[in-house]
């Protein structure tokens, strides 16, 4: 096999190694930027409310429901605040929502109560389970926007298939959600951002695994202009401008200036400083 063929058709070992290297490079870069998080730190504590149902459009729901059959049990792995689990529960016999973050589980439990959904079981579990015995099982397993930072993506996917009777599905953007605008990032931090893997890398791994994948891309979501300050406050997390970093207030002010410079739409407005354009639903049958 030529070098070009190896790039286009990597072996499973090569695909997994490349995926892991990309995740670890991003992790090392971010740790050097803002320091390692203390043990037990809940990364999602401040952002968990934004992952509740109805806080953002859910175009992936239609393609996901096309995979369903009456009486299905869904595994929602990395369920967050219930963005998928609650609407899926309206169409399923049961949804097992697997989520390790305490703040996310609290949001999910409240969202389920508000929706009157009694067919959602919330499980405190980090995926993949250390011991497969006793792990939840379902007819369909979903991992929505959780694979980007998983260094052992092969183990994650293998556990999905092991605990699923019929179909696995992954929701992924064309670029990882935390991917910044290159120019804005350079102006803010003075270095090149190390991107996480996303849609193309996930599909490459699944193809190297020999899976019969179906990719259903969704239309791009329009980027609506908002006041510059509103955009800066909403997306500061993506650019790692958060309370606790050195010179936080000065960094936030600088970020506002850069949002206006790179994303200004006139009249004091700016568009979101995003690189990702569209999401896709990737699905494949579980074959034993």
């Amino acid at each position: 096999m030529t070098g070009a063929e190896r790039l286009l058709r990597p072996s499973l070992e090569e695909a997994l190694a490349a995926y892991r290297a990309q995740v670890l490079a991003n992790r090392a870069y971010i740790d050097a930027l803002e320091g390692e998080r203390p043990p037990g730190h809940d990364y999602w504590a401040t952002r968990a409310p934004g992952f509740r149902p109805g806080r953002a459009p859910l175009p992936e729901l239609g393609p996901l429901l096309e995979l369903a059959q009456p009486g299905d049990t869904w595994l929602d792995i990395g369920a967050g605040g219930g963005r998928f689990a609650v609407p899926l529960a309206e169409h399923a016999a049961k949804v097992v929502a697997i989520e390790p973050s305490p703040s996310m589980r609290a949001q999910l439990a409240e969202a389920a109560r508000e929706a009157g959904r009694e067919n959602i079981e919330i499980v405190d579990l980090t995926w993949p389970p250390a011991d497969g015995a006793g792990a939840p099982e379902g007819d369909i397993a979903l991992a929505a926007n959780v694979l980007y930072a998983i260094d052992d993506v092969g183990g994650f996917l293998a556990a999905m298939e092991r605990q699923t009777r019929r179909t696995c599905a992954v929701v992924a953007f064309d670029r990882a959600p935390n991917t910044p605008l290159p120019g804005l990032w350079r102006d803010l931090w003075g270095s090149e951002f190390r991107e996480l893997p996303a849609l193309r890398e996930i599909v490459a791994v699944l193809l190297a695994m020999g899976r019969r994948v179906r990719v259903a891309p969704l239309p791009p979501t329009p980027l609506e202009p908002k006041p510059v300050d509103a955009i800066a406050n909403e997306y500061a997390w993506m650019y790692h401008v958060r309370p606790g970093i050195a010179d936080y207030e000065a960094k936030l002010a600088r970020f506002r200036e850069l949002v206006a410079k790179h994303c200004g739409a006139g009249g004091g407005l700016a568009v979101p400083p995003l690189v990702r354009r569209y999401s896709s639903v990737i699905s494949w049958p579980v074959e034993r």
Side-chain angles (χ1 to χ4, degrees):
M1 184 181 293
T2 67
E5 288 171 332
R6 293 179 71 86
L7 287 172
L8 292 172
R9 294 186 179 181
S11 68
L12 178 56
E13 291 75 15
E14 290 167 335
L16 292 175
Y19 199 103
R20 177 179 173 82
Q22 199 170 343
V23 170
L24 294 182
N26 171 271
R27 190 176 299 167
Y29 176 76
I30 296 303
D31 284 347
L33 186 73
E34 59 178 29
E36 295 187 24
R37 301 181 186 93
H41 172 75
D42 187 356
Y43 173 79
W44 301 105
T46 59
R47 296 183 52 222
F51 291 83
R52 291 183 58 152
R55 298 296 172 89
L58 199 66
E60 302 91 351
L61 184 60
L64 287 172
L65 291 178
E66 292 178 5
L67 306 173
Q69 295 178 9
D72 273 346
T73 292
W74 285 73
L75 302 182
D76 185 359
I77 303 167
R83 183 167 177 251
F84 285 90
V86 172
L88 283 173
E90 298 178 14
H91 305 272
K94 182 179 180 180
V95 174
V96 181
I98 300 166
E99 176 53 55
S101 162
S103 55
M104 286 289 200
R105 289 197 305 273
Q107 294 291 334
L108 172 53
E110 185 176 348
R113 285 194 300 269
E114 290 178 357
R117 304 310 322 174
E118 298 182 354
N119 59 336
I120 299 177
E121 177 186 355
I122 302 174
V123 177
D124 176 6
L125 178 67
T126 297
W127 199 269
D131 181 358
E137 295 184 350
D139 301 290
I140 303 179
L142 168 66
N145 292 313
V146 299
L147 292 185
Y148 309 110
I150 303 298
D151 51 37
D152 182 15
V153 71
F156 191 106
L157 294 170
M160 283 182 71
E161 295 182 339
R162 191 165 54 244
Q163 301 305 124
T164 305
R165 289 183 280 272
R166 191 178 72 250
T167 303
C168 289
V170 167
V171 172
F173 283 99
D174 60 320
R175 306 283 279 277
N178 72 333
T179 307
L181 293 176
L184 198 162
W185 182 270
R186 282 194 301 270
D187 285 352
L188 183 66
W189 292 107
S191 59
E192 296 294 332
F193 186 77
R194 303 298 297 269
E195 285 195 38
L196 286 168
L199 175 64
R200 75 179 75 180
E201 291 84 5
I202 294 169
V203 171
V205 166
L206 287 167
L207 290 175
M209 291 171 64
R211 300 304 181 259
R212 296 188 292 115
V213 297
R214 175 179 181 266
V215 180
L218 284 303
T221 301
L223 300 180
E224 299 294 339
K226 296 180 182 179
V228 170
D229 283 355
I231 290 290
N233 291 335
E234 184 175 352
Y235 291 94
W237 69 268
M238 180 187 295
Y239 287 78
H240 295 266
V241 178
R242 57 171 179 78
I245 66 170
D247 301 319
Y248 167 66
E249 294 296 338
K251 205 71 171 180
L252 182 59
R254 176 59 174 160
F255 181 57
R256 290 193 185 102
E257 295 174 358
L258 293 174
V259 166
K261 172 185 174 182
H262 289 270
C263 310
L269 302 177
V271 296
L274 298 172
V275 174
R276 67 179 188 261
R277 294 176 298 148
Y278 66 92
S279 66
S280 295
V281 174
I282 311 161
S283 60
W284 67 99
V286 175
E287 300 175 347
R288 310 231 185 255

